[in-house]
Amino acid sequence: MTTPASQEFLQDFLSEVSDHLLSIGQNLLTLEQTLKPGEPPEEALQNPVYVEDLLRSFHTIKGLSSMMGLEQAAELSHALESLLRLILNNETELNLEIIDHMLQGQNLLQRLVNTLADNAGGDPGLQAEMASLTAMLRSANPGAGRPGASASASAPIPQTAVRSPVAPVPLPISLPGALADSLSEADRSKLLSALWSGQRLGLAIFTPTPEKSALGMNVNEIRRRFQNEGNLIKAAPLISENTVRFAFLVAFPADFVPPQKDEVEWSFPTGDQPLEIGPVPAIPPSAGAARPGKSGQAGSLPLASALPGSLVRVDLLRLEELVRMVGELVVCNSRLKELLPQLKGAPQPALDAFSQTLNGLDSTLRVLRQATISTRMVPLSEVFATMPLAIRELARASGKEVHLKVDGENTQVDRLLVERLLEPLLHLVRNAITHGIETPDERAAAGKPRVGRLSISGEAQGEWVVIQVEDDGQGIDTSAVAAQARRLGLLQEDESLTPADLLDLITRPGFTTRPEASLAAGRGIGMNVVMRSVRALHGNLSLSTRPGLGTRFTLRLPLTLTLMNAIVVSCSGERYAIPLNMVDELIEIVPARVISVESGELYPHREQAVTLVRLADLFHLESRPPEADARPVSSRTTHLLYGLVSSEGENRIALVVDRLEGMREVVVRPIPDPLIAQPAIAGATELGDGTLLLIVDILALVETYRQGRKETTP
Amino acid sequence: MIEPFILFKVAGATYAVRSSQVQSIEMVEAITPVPNTPEFVEGIVSLRGKVAPVISLRRRFNFEAVPNDLRSRLVVIHMEGRTIALAVDEAREFVRLDTGSILPPPETLAGPQMRYLEGVISQENGLLLVIKLSELFDIQEKQALSEPL
C-alpha cells in the first residue's frame, strides 16, 4: 500500500499476462487432445477458433511485454505468433511437436511472470532459455521469415529500439556503474514506473564492518528494512579494491526523509524533490496529464494520501457480491412497494406505519446503494496512467515524435471496467502511433508540425463513459482497405465502403493492409481484440477518420456493470429487460406507416427513416399478438407496436416489441456458461418471485442481425 | 469400490450419476427460455443466486419432449467450474453401487445417448445406465460452439 502506483502498474501487467497464459494453456491442451491418436486431426482444423485465440493471446503478451521493456519475452511471443499465423494460413500443419514448443514457450513466460511477481532475485538462465527457444522456433519454421508472416527475419523494425538487449530506455538518472549494469529489464521497468509515478528514489550504500555485524547490522537486515520501508528495486554489491559495499536502490513514497543518523549513506539520484521525470522529448508533461504523481495524487486518488492504517484491501469478488446483495435488497424493496396496494383491507394506522417504514427503508437503501457502488469506482487515471510509458516506447521504436494529451482522467468508473480497458486502449494507442502518426519528416513534408498529437480522453455521459483515442496522423487509407476487402471477396467490385463497413473490416481477425507485420502492430489482431473487449463490456465502438487529418476511435461503455435501470418489454408472450442507457427514446409504431424496402423495414420518425428490427424475428419467437390487446383478430396487422430507438453511430434503429411493461431497477447476473452465453444477452435478472428475465443488449443484437444479413445476402 | 450414486429416469430408462458430481436436486420451477441456443437447452434457472442453463436430457437423447410435471426434477451438476441443471423425468433414489460391477455398454444398445455412457450395471429390476458426465459436458459445448447463432 505504500507504493500503490508502481505496484499497481506491475500488477496490471502481471495479472493481464497471467490471464492470457492461462487461456493459452487451456487452448493448447484442447488442441493437443484433438491431435492425439484416435481423434481425427481434422477436428483441430474445424476449430481454428482455438488457434485464433492463441494468436490473440500471444499478440497481447507481445505488446504488453515490449511496453514493459521485456524484450526477450516480446521476441518469444512474436516468434510464437508468427508460427500460429502460418498454421492459420495453412502454410504449416499443426502437430504435437509444435504444441510442445508452444507449451514450452507458455511455461517460460509463466516463469517470467512468477519471477516478476515475487520480486525475487530472478531466475537465472530464464533469459537464455527464452532466447534459445525463440531462435529454435525461427530456424525450425523457415516460413516464419516470409514477408507477411514474420518480421523477425527481415526485421523491418529499428533494431536498436526493440531487439537490443542493453539499455532499452536511457535512465533519466545516474547510478553507480556496477548497479546500473546489474539492472535487469524488470528492474528498469520498476525503476521507471516508480519515477514516473512520483515516488522518491533513494540510493543507500551500506558498508559492512565487524562492529556493525556484532550489532546485528548485516546486509540481510538492511535488505529486510528496505523491503518494509519502501519498494526495493535492486540490491547489488559494489566491489572496489579490497572493500565490498552494498548498494540498495529503493523507491519510497514522495515524502520520504531518511533518519538523521543512519547505518547507511544516503543519496537521492533525483535530488531532494520527488522528480519531475522528464521523460522524453516525445512526451512533454502536459498539464493535467494522467500522472498520479504529486498533484494527481491529491485530486484523483484522495485515499492514497490517507493514513495507511485507514485503508483495507478487499477482494473484488466479495465487493461484487456485496453490490449484488444490495441490489437484491433494492429489488425486494420495490416489490414490497408494488404489494402495498394489495393490503387495502388492513386497518389504516397499521397501513400508515407500514408505508412510513417502507419509505424509510427506501431512502436508506438509496444511500446504501450509492455508497456500495462507489466502493467499486476508481478514476480512469488508473488505466490512463499506464499510457505515457507505452507511448514513449512505441514512439521510440517507430522513430516518431508524439505529444500525448490526457483529459478526464478523474472520471469515476467501475473497477472492472478499468481492468478490462488496459488491453483495448493499448491496442488503439499502438495503432495510432504505428499506422496513424507519420514520421517527423513525412509530417513536415505534409505541412504538419513534426510532433504528432495523440489525445486520450474520458467523459461520463449519463450511465455511459465515453473514451476517445484520437491522433492527427494520416487517417485510415479507406481505398487500401476497400481494395484489400475486394481482394478477399468481402466487398463487391461496385460496392463502396460505408463507415460501418470500414469498422467491420478493420476489426475482422487477421484483416490488415500491411504487407509486413512488425513487433508493434500490423497483423490485424489488435482491432479485433479491441472490438471483442468492447463487446464483452456491452459497449460499442465507433470510428471517424479523415485522410491526412487523423483518426478518432470512440468507445462507449456502461459506467457500472451490476445494477442498472431497465425497461421491461414483452414480445410473443416472453418478457425481456432492456438496459435503459441503450435506449434513446420510445416510440409507438403504427403498422400502416411502416415502409417495406428490399433490405428490410423503415419507419418515418422525426423526419428521419429509422430502421425497424423486430425482436420476435431475431429471437425466432412465434409471432403472436399481445393477449391483452382487446382488438379483434382481424386487425392483427394494425395493432400498435412499440419501438425502442437506439442510435448506433449514425444509424437509428428501432427494436420492435409488442408491449412496454414498465421500468425497474435490475441486478445483473452474468450468464457465463458457453451453452447460453451470447453477445446479445447481457445477463439475467431475478424478479422478486424467483423467475429470471433475460437482459438484452440491443447494440450487440442489432450487430448480430446486421452481420447475419450481410452473410445471407450475396 | 462402493460409491454413492443418484438415480434418475429419462423416457423409461434409469440412469445413475456419481453423487459427488451432483450439487443438488431441485423441483422444476419457472425456466426462462433463451433464444438462439441449441434445441436441447430448455433455458435458464436461478439456483441460489447463480444462473445456470437447463439441459433437457429427453431432447439431448432424441426422445420426445414432454411438458414438465410434478415429478420432473433438475439434477444440478457441478463440474469443471460449470453448473448445469439436467432436466429429468424423475429423480429420487440415492444408492450405493459397486463400481467394479460397471460393465461396458452392450454393442446391441444403440442411440445417441450411448456416447455419454460409462457403462451399465445389471440389477434384478433392470439395467442401470451409468452416465459419463465429462463426455456429456464436453460434446455439448463443442456442438453449442459450432452451431450458428
Side-chain angles (χ1 to χ4, degrees):
Chain A
M1 292 311 288
T2 49
T3 59
S6 73
Q7 273 308 316
E8 224 134 76
F9 183 50
L10 182 67
Q11 286 314 319
D12 278 353
F13 165 78
L14 292 175
S15 66
E16 186 103 26
V17 172
S18 298
D19 284 352
H20 281 286
L21 287 174
L22 188 69
S23 104
I24 286 172
Q26 285 164 346
N27 282 328
L28 284 174
L29 294 178
T30 311
L31 282 176
E32 188 176 37
Q33 278 309 313
T34 64
L35 287 174
K36 285 265 167 73
E39 285 260 11
E42 289 78 37
E43 184 97 39
L45 298 175
Q46 284 165 3
N47 284 321
V49 53
Y50 294 116
V51 179
E52 279 174 16
D53 254 345
L54 284 167
L55 199 62
R56 261 191 293 275
S57 294
F58 279 123
H59 180 78
T60 302
I61 293 180
K62 178 179 81 178
L64 289 167
S65 304
S66 46
M67 178 189 114
M68 294 292 289
L70 301 166
E71 263 72 5
Q72 204 58 65
E75 289 279 356
L76 177 57
S77 329
H78 181 66
L80 289 163
E81 197 195 330
S82 304
L83 186 54
L84 283 160
R85 173 146 308 270
L86 291 181
I87 293 165
L88 204 60
N89 293 345
N90 291 325
E91 290 172 47
T92 292
E93 204 183 316
L94 185 65
N95 57 35
L96 287 172
E97 197 190 6
I98 288 184
I99 300 239
D100 220 45
H101 290 153
M102 290 192 181
L103 280 169
Q104 212 180 325
Q106 189 254 8
N107 182 261
L108 290 176
L109 292 168
Q110 186 66 60
R111 265 168 61 191
L112 178 70
V113 166
N114 296 346
T115 312
L116 292 177
D118 52 45
N119 213 348
D123 187 341
L126 178 59
Q127 296 288 326
E129 275 184 71
M130 293 207 291
S132 83
L133 180 62
T134 309
M136 203 271 290
L137 287 171
R138 282 194 196 136
S139 60
N141 294 280
R146 265 181 246 154
S150 160
S152 37
S154 49
I157 34 155
Q159 295 276 325
T160 48
V162 189
R163 305 199 54 192
S164 156
V166 270
V169 183
L171 292 177
I173 52 167
S174 66
L175 294 171
L179 183 63
D181 292 346
S182 69
L183 289 179
S184 70
E185 297 312 329
D187 298 334
R188 300 178 76 89
S189 303
K190 270 194 269 177
L191 176 60
L192 284 170
S193 23
L195 280 175
W196 156 80
S197 65
Q199 295 180 53
R200 191 173 192 203
L201 199 65
L203 178 65
I205 310 279
F206 175 70
T207 316
T209 62
E211 296 78 47
K212 285 182 185 167
S213 163
L215 293 169
M217 265 186 260
N218 56 35
V219 177
N220 288 336
E221 222 19 74
I222 303 286
R223 178 195 293 270
R224 214 163 297 145
R225 167 184 160 187
F226 290 137
Q227 278 167 348
N228 288 333
E229 288 180 6
N231 179 16
L232 179 59
I233 292 172
K234 188 73 189 175
L238 303 175
I239 302 166
S240 60
E241 298 294 316
N242 43 17
T243 63
V244 179
R245 297 177 305 150
F246 291 89
F248 295 87
L249 193 56
V250 193
F252 291 106
D255 53 0
F256 174 81
V257 180
Q260 286 290 328
K261 268 186 72 154
D262 206 348
E263 57 215 22
V264 295
E265 298 155 43
W266 283 101
S267 61
F268 291 89
T270 50
D272 289 339
Q273 286 308 308
L275 65 177
E276 209 34 61
I277 156 182
V280 268
I283 315 169
S286 64
R291 300 218 321 269
K294 300 170 292 178
S295 53
Q297 208 125 30
S300 59
L301 298 167
L303 286 181
S305 57
L307 291 172
S310 66
L311 292 181
V312 183
R313 267 188 190 280
V314 182
D315 187 342
L316 190 60
L317 281 176
R318 277 208 239 164
L319 212 49
E320 203 158 294
E321 202 42 45
L322 190 65
V323 175
R324 286 232 159 82
M325 311 248 270
V326 171
E328 300 293 0
L329 277 179
V330 171
V331 171
C332 283
N333 186 50
S334 46
R335 185 150 168 79
L336 276 179
K337 278 194 281 185
E338 281 167 24
L339 292 174
L340 192 58
Q342 297 182 19
L343 299 178
K344 276 228 168 72
Q348 197 56 40
L351 213 53
D352 286 347
F354 187 78
S355 102
Q356 226 164 31
T357 314
L358 211 53
N359 283 339
L361 183 63
D362 202 47
S363 57
T364 312
L365 274 177
R366 232 174 266 284
V367 179
L368 180 62
R369 184 201 149 167
Q370 210 42 51
T372 330
I373 287 183
S374 70
T375 57
R376 287 178 56 91
M377 301 297 260
V378 292
L380 274 175
S381 59
E382 292 211 358
V383 59
F384 283 3
T386 57
M387 294 297 136
L389 203 59
I391 287 164
R392 178 164 78 172
E393 282 290 313
L394 287 161
R396 263 170 26 82
S398 55
K400 294 175 181 172
E401 288 180 37
V402 181
H403 174 94
L404 173 67
K405 184 165 172 285
V406 178
D407 282 315
E409 69 270 26
N410 291 337
T411 311
Q412 298 275 323
V413 297
D414 196 285
R415 164 94 220 157
L416 189 74
L417 201 67
V418 158
E419 277 172 19
R420 303 221 184 134
L421 261 177
L422 178 62
E423 192 179 340
L425 273 186
L426 276 176
H427 283 297
L428 287 177
V429 160
R430 187 174 302 131
N431 272 345
I433 295 175
T434 355
H435 300 312
I437 293 174
E438 314 88 333
T439 62
D441 291 345
E442 285 167 354
R443 291 180 64 90
K448 291 174 162 183
R450 292 179 67 86
V451 179
R453 292 182 65 88
L454 178 61
S455 91
I456 303 178
S457 67
E459 189 193 349
Q461 291 181 0
E463 291 198 47
W464 294 89
V465 56
V466 176
I467 292 169
Q468 298 196 319
V469 176
E470 183 170 12
D471 67 62
D472 70 343
Q474 58 197 355
I476 295 174
D477 184 350
T478 45
S479 59
V481 171
Q484 176 71 358
R486 294 203 177 96
R487 208 169 301 137
L488 296 173
L490 299 169
L491 191 70
Q492 299 299 306
E493 284 301 329
D494 52 347
E495 226 177 323
S496 62
L497 208 57
T498 67
D501 289 341
L502 179 64
L503 189 65
D504 266 3
L505 285 167
I506 64 171
T507 56
R508 265 183 110 85
F511 187 89
T512 176
T513 54
R514 292 245 154 164
E516 303 254 332
S518 72
L519 264 188
R523 292 170 168 245
I525 309 287
M527 284 310 300
N528 180 239
V529 172
V530 175
M531 186 53 110
R532 286 166 67 106
S533 311
V534 170
R535 289 267 165 74
L537 292 167
H538 300 288
N540 75 330
L541 177 70
S542 57
L543 150 78
S544 99
T545 184
R546 284 177 299 164
L549 293 176
T551 305
R552 180 175 65 216
F553 283 97
T554 306
L555 285 75
R556 229 165 151 248
L557 304 162
L559 268 184
T560 59
L561 304 162
T562 43
L563 251 175
M564 57 168 77
N565 284 312
I567 300 174
V568 178
V569 302
S570 73
C571 195
S572 302
E574 299 290 344
R575 288 193 296 166
Y576 301 97
I578 297 189
L580 187 61
N581 61 7
M582 294 188 176
V583 178
D584 292 347
E585 55 183 318
L586 300 171
I587 58 172
E588 277 184 0
I589 291 175
V590 182
R593 295 180 63 202
V594 173
I595 306 158
S596 286
V597 292
E598 187 189 6
S599 58
E601 291 175 313
L602 296 175
Y603 194 75
H605 176 60
R606 292 184 197 276
E607 292 160 10
Q608 260 194 317
V610 178
T611 307
L612 294 189
V613 175
R614 290 176 187 265
L615 186 62
D617 294 346
L618 294 179
F619 278 179
H620 307 107
L621 303 170
E622 270 173 53
S623 156
R624 72 178 122 110
E627 314 81 347
D629 211 317
R631 280 170 240 253
V633 184
S634 60
S635 68
R636 182 176 158 151
T637 52
T638 63
H639 73 250
L640 271 186
L641 294 167
Y642 294 88
L644 296 89
V645 183
S646 191
S647 46
E648 202 215 16
E650 288 113 67
N651 298 330
R652 284 168 70 79
I653 281 152
L655 184 75
V656 183
V657 299
D658 293 344
R659 214 149 31 121
L660 304 177
E661 308 234 324
M663 206 180 78
R664 63 189 300 157
E665 195 154 32
V666 299
V667 186
V668 183
R669 299 214 167 262
I671 306 187
D673 201 276
L675 273 176
I676 36 182
Q678 48 188 297
I681 294 178
T685 188
E686 206 166 322
L687 298 180
D689 59 0
T691 56
L692 290 171
L693 212 57
L694 292 177
I695 301 171
V696 179
D697 177 341
I698 305 191
L699 301 177
L701 186 68
V702 168
E703 185 56 30
T704 322
Y705 159 80
R706 233 157 48 82
Q707 299 287 354
R709 255 205 2 211
K710 201 166 275 179
E711 269 147 39
T712 48
T713 52
Chain B
M1 200 171 76
I2 306 290
E3 272 191 67
F5 281 76
I6 304 277
L7 301 189
F8 59 83
K9 280 192 170 172
V10 176
T14 306
Y15 296 82
V17 60
R18 283 181 173 72
S19 66
S20 58
Q21 293 168 321
V22 177
Q23 179 183 302
S24 62
I25 293 177
E26 310 278 343
M27 305 276 287
V28 183
E29 306 219 2
I31 298 177
T32 302
V34 181
N36 303 328
T37 47
E39 205 226 348
F40 58 80
V41 176
E42 270 192 52
I44 49 174
V45 285
S46 170
L47 299 166
R48 290 175 202 91
K50 290 235 158 54
V51 178
V54 179
I55 288 175
S56 157
L57 280 189
R58 272 184 169 267
R59 290 190 216 166
R60 174 80 277 201
F61 293 162
N62 284 347
F63 291 116
E64 185 198 353
V66 295
N68 290 318
D69 58 27
L70 281 175
R71 285 185 308 172
S72 306
R73 289 291 180 277
L74 297 178
V75 178
V76 182
I77 305 292
H78 186 79
M79 215 177 128
E80 292 163 6
R82 297 170 65 185
T83 303
I84 292 186
L86 304 176
V88 302
D89 293 352
E90 54 185 293
R92 276 195 305 237
E93 282 178 90
F94 177 87
V95 294
R96 300 176 70 81
L97 297 172
D98 181 1
T99 49
S101 66
I102 300 178
L103 302 172
E107 301 282 331
T108 47
L109 273 180
Q113 71 269 41
M114 281 306 105
R115 271 210 308 252
Y116 313 123
L117 289 193
E118 180 182 327
V120 301
I121 297 180
S122 263
Q123 288 204 320
E124 299 157 23
N125 42 5
L127 278 185
L128 285 183
L129 308 172
V130 182
I131 291 258
K132 196 200 247 171
L133 284 174
S134 54
E135 187 74 3
L136 194 68
F137 274 38
D138 206 34
I139 285 175
Q140 277 157 354
E141 182 168 350
K142 277 182 203 155
Q143 286 186 350
L145 287 176
S146 61
E147 231 149 290
L149 286 182

